[in-house]
């Protein structure tokens, strides 16, 4: 199954967790579905570019798709709520130039793919520092500091919605 198609299978789970009544389905031409498809395509392109291992590629794509929904409603330039708009792009990252050369908030706010590249790159760097995806995502969602032996409950829920374990690993086949 193509990565974009796989990501689109997650849409209704995310929308139901975001408040859409259970059992509701949206047509493919619904604006939300069109936005989801654009995000899935951007994530597919970015993960193909920056994540070499196919298993890791799918895992990071699942994570990015869920984070893009909950952080920004799959918008490249969402209205900032908690930091007066200082975070930018679909993944709501501060100082994107620290993670991808040439990235700026202005560019990230206009380009879904660049927003995902910045966010996934930062998450992968945090994984290298923190030792696991769950710890990396907890650091990403909080203050950037690797947690000591705990995972933010929000991260456990997001990973489960992404079809991963609570530790943000692929489920056993």
């Amino acid at each position: 199954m193509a990565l974009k198609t796989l990501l689109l299978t997650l849409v209704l789970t995310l929308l139901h967790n975001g408040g859409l009544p259970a059992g509701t389905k949206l047509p493919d031409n619904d604006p939300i579905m069109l936005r989801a498809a654009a995000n899935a395509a951007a994530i597919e392109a970015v993960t193909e570019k920056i994540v070499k291992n196919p298993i890791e590629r799918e895992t990071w794509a699942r994570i990015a798709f869920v984070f893009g929904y909950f952080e920004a409603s799959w918008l490249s330039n969402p209205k900032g709520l908690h930091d007066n708009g200082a975070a930018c792009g679909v993944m709501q990252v501060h100082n994107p130039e620290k993670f991808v050369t040439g990235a700026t908030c202005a560019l990230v706010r206009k380009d879904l793919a660049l927003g995902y590249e910045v966010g996934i790159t930062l998450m992968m760097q945090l994984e290298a520092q923190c030792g696991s995806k769950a710890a990396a995502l907890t650091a990403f969602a909080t203050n950037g500091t690797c947690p000591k032996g705990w995972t933010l409950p929000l991260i456990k829920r997001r990973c489960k919605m992404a079809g991963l374990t609570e530790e943000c690993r692929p489920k056993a086949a």
Side-chain angles (χ1 to χ4, degrees):
M1 178 184 312
L3 192 52
K4 178 182 174 184
T5 303
L6 182 143
L7 295 176
L8 291 175
T9 66
L10 302 175
V11 172
L12 289 179
T13 298
L14 296 175
L15 294 176
H16 292 150
N17 276 284
L20 186 71
T24 304
K25 295 192 184 215
L26 300 174
D28 289 343
N29 64 350
D30 184 273
I32 293 171
M33 297 303 289
L34 294 172
R35 202 162 62 225
N39 277 258
I43 291 167
E44 183 175 52
V46 167
T47 55
E48 183 72 29
K49 174 182 173 185
I50 67 172
V51 184
K52 301 308 174 201
N53 178 309
I55 295 170
E56 287 292 300
R57 186 178 306 133
E58 180 181 321
T59 300
W60 283 116
R62 287 171 173 271
I63 290 167
F65 194 66
V66 171
F67 269 74
Y69 173 70
F70 284 106
E71 295 297 319
S73 299
W74 293 318
L75 297 168
S76 62
N77 189 16
K79 181 179 178 185
L81 298 175
H82 302 295
D83 63 359
N84 296 319
C88 48
V90 67
M91 298 291 277
Q92 291 293 281
V93 173
H94 292 86
N95 306 307
E97 65 280 357
K98 290 182 178 180
F99 311 106
V100 173
T101 303
T104 64
C105 271
L107 291 173
V108 166
R109 287 182 173 125
K110 294 177 186 173
D111 185 339
L112 272 177
L114 183 58
Y116 279 116
E117 184 175 355
V118 167
I120 295 167
T121 298
L122 170 55
M123 288 174 169
M124 289 170 43
Q125 288 176 4
L126 287 169
E127 181 184 29
Q129 292 170 16
C130 299
S132 73
K133 283 182 179 57
L137 298 174
T138 296
F140 181 90
T142 56
N143 63 5
T145 303
C146 297
K148 302 277 191 258
W150 66 279
T151 301
L152 193 64
L154 169 112
I155 298 306
K156 291 179 181 181
R157 285 191 305 274
R158 287 185 181 181
C159 287
K160 284 178 72 175
M161 283 183 261
L164 304 169
T165 67
E166 284 189 353
E167 296 80 29
C168 308
R169 294 186 197 117
K171 291 183 178 176

